[in-house]
Amino acid sequence: MSEFDVIVVGGGIAGLVAAAFASRNGSRVVLLEASATFGGRARTRIVSGYHFNQGAHALYRDGLLDEILQDLGIAAAGGVPPLVAGFFVAGDTLHAAPFSASGLASTSLLTDTEKSEMGKLLRGLLDGSIETPPGGSLRDALAALSPSPRVRSTLAAMVRLTSIVHAPDLADASALLGQLAGGLARNARYVDGGWETIVDGLRSACVEFGASLRSGCPVASIDRGASWRATLRDGSSLTARAVILAVNPAQAMALSPRIEGLEEATNVVPAKVACLDIGLAHLPRPDILFALDIDRPLYFSVHSAAARLAPQGAALLHAMRYIEPDEKPSRGQLIAELEGFIDLTQPGWREQERARQFLGAMPVNSSIPLAARRGLHGRPGVAVPNGEGLFIAGDWVGPVGMLADAASASGRSAGEAAAAFAR
């Protein structure tokens, strides 16, 4: 079969959601994925019983992706990480995390005056009384919110945690502080078995609704004639009334360079991190399950404390280094920083190591919400203006959400819009 109503290019979260909703709305859908497996950055690799995601992943409870999964009847079992019982790091000292009222009251991270100020700021973010208009940088917004360098550093670390963006001079404060507020309100869930279980659920939903899923099918180009044509690298082609490009911005531009309106939309600044994930036979310090550095862009968490990701009695931990857009640290530097942070939180871990995964300079967000583009308001919509019947989806598309929430929300919108167009 070579003629369809909708062609979806890209089999990550955005593409799978798009295919599911386009087919659920009555379209004949084919999803084309270049690699041998579906999932993109949501893939999970199992090594010696340890479930390695593509770095640290969390699903926001009742967030956009979670709501879509519930709508599709997909269960994502798991647990809430013990962040409230975690620590913030200043220098080489661990302090109680100020996420909760008790944590804020007991922490040695802040003075009494700073605690009072931090409490007011967090309440203001949660109840919406603190409003930051789009178009201002995170650094400027934090300076306006607090005169205390320690309070600003603590808030900046919390923003990195929830947005996975480390670009205080470029990033839009409204988008990132909104993401922080959502993270504080909804909490996160680590998923049993890794995010591959979400990918499997989405694949099953696509098949149930009648979509055709084809892996190992790289697309060379997308062209418009009487209908849309997807030419594969093997020379074969498929046609459809509508196409959804659920790929990153550079790939979207490469597939359709002659479509006006894509060039500006795909001129983006990605967010990157380095991840070191370690499988341990035994956790040396079970009382330290989470740590966030306020002076350095470092994160640590034992995801297996909340989800089934390791063999019985073993542990899977994640250390992450947020990378600024113009930074180019070496592989050796990144590994040394991450191992040093694990030394601080889990002394004696090296003797317990049984498996590891290192991902250096890995893109985690295709497009940082830039202050110069008014944050989320500057992202392109799912319908390409000068490409009738051409739609885009991904974590860089649409006016709502970030990360997987943005990918899934734009995927749903693109799938429904493409199906309506095809009808």
Side-chain angles (χ1 to χ4, degrees):
M1 185 173 179
S2 61
E3 296 182 1
F4 296 87
D5 296 322
V6 178
I7 294 172
V8 181
V9 182
I13 292 290
L16 288 166
V17 170
F21 279 94
S23 54
R24 190 169 85 165
N25 279 269
S27 288
R28 294 170 302 151
V29 177
V30 62
L31 186 153
L32 306 174
E33 165 58 34
S35 67
T37 57
F38 297 96
R41 294 198 298 264
R43 291 192 299 265
T44 304
R45 189 169 62 98
I46 303 175
V47 179
S48 301
Y50 298 93
H51 295 252
F52 288 101
N53 289 318
Q54 300 299 297
H57 278 55
L59 175 67
Y60 280 108
R61 295 192 300 174
D62 297 323
L64 298 172
L65 174 56
D66 197 23
E67 290 178 351
I68 285 171
L69 294 177
Q70 293 176 42
D71 187 12
L72 294 173
I74 299 169
V80 177
L83 301 187
V84 173
F87 297 89
F88 276 32
V89 179
D92 286 330
T93 303
L94 275 67
H95 306 267
F99 286 118
S100 65
S102 60
L104 184 58
S106 64
T107 188
S108 55
L109 178 69
L110 305 167
T111 66
D112 288 343
T113 299
E114 290 169 336
K115 290 178 184 180
S116 177
E117 183 181 343
M118 176 65 76
K120 291 179 181 177
L121 289 173
L122 294 180
R123 287 192 296 273
L125 289 171
L126 282 168
D127 65 22
S129 60
I130 292 179
E131 294 186 17
T132 304
S137 74
L138 178 66
R139 190 182 301 279
D140 289 344
L142 294 180
L145 287 174
S146 174
S148 165
R150 180 57 64 91
V151 170
R152 295 198 298 269
S153 295
T154 302
L155 280 174
M158 295 169 75
V159 165
R160 288 194 295 268
L161 172 67
T162 52
S163 68
I164 322 186
V165 169
H166 181 36
D169 295 310
L170 294 178
D172 180 74
S174 177
L176 268 59
L177 290 174
Q179 180 75 359
L180 172 58
L184 292 171
R186 292 191 297 267
N187 291 323
R189 181 166 69 244
Y190 297 155
V191 179
D192 290 342
W195 273 50
E196 189 72 26
T197 61
I198 294 177
V199 173
D200 289 343
L202 289 171
R203 288 177 59 196
S204 296
C206 290
V207 172
E208 178 186 348
F209 296 135
S212 173
L213 306 182
R214 303 184 186 181
S215 60
C217 288
V219 178
S221 63
I222 297 291
D223 301 288
R224 181 172 56 180
S227 58
W228 287 96
R229 180 179 299 275
T231 301
L232 308 185
R233 288 185 191 167
D234 64 7
S236 63
S237 64
L238 307 174
T239 60
R241 296 173 182 172
V243 170
I244 301 171
L245 301 180
V247 293
N248 68 42
Q251 291 169 328
M253 187 63 194
L255 287 170
S256 299
R258 291 182 293 278
I259 302 298
E260 295 180 6
L262 266 182
E263 184 172 0
E264 182 178 352
T266 55
N267 184 18
V268 300
V269 179
K272 298 181 180 181
V273 299
C275 300
L276 179 61
D277 306 328
I278 304 289
L280 301 181
H282 175 73
L283 193 65
R285 290 289 304 272
D287 58 322
I288 303 177
L289 300 177
F290 169 82
L292 189 65
D293 202 304
I294 71 166
D295 299 318
R296 300 169 295 172
L298 295 171
Y299 156 97
F300 164 86
S301 183
V302 182
H303 284 205
S304 60
R308 293 194 298 273
L309 295 167
Q312 185 69 32
L316 178 62
L317 60 83
H318 300 264
M320 190 159 64
R321 161 71 148 80
Y322 307 88
I323 300 174
E324 287 196 78
D326 292 332
E327 257 192 302
K328 294 184 179 179
S330 69
R331 176 186 175 90
Q333 174 189 342
L334 291 170
I335 292 176
E337 283 188 74
L338 293 168
E339 289 184 340
F341 200 47
I342 302 174
D343 285 334
L344 177 66
T345 54
Q346 291 292 325
W349 67 272
R350 295 171 191 265
E351 292 77 18
Q352 301 296 327
E353 181 179 339
R354 297 297 181 269
R356 77 161 49 196
Q357 171 181 264
F358 174 72
L359 304 169
M362 180 181 69
V364 290
N365 192 324
S366 299
S367 177
I368 295 171
L370 300 174
R373 295 188 180 181
R374 303 184 71 247
L376 303 184
H377 298 277
R379 294 198 307 210
V382 297
V384 177
N386 296 308
E388 189 179 17
L390 181 64
F391 303 87
I392 52 177
D395 62 4
W396 55 286
V397 178
V400 296
M402 290 184 63
L403 304 166
D405 279 345
S408 57
S410 61
R412 177 174 190 161
S413 295
E416 293 174 340
F421 180 88
R423 287 197 298 274

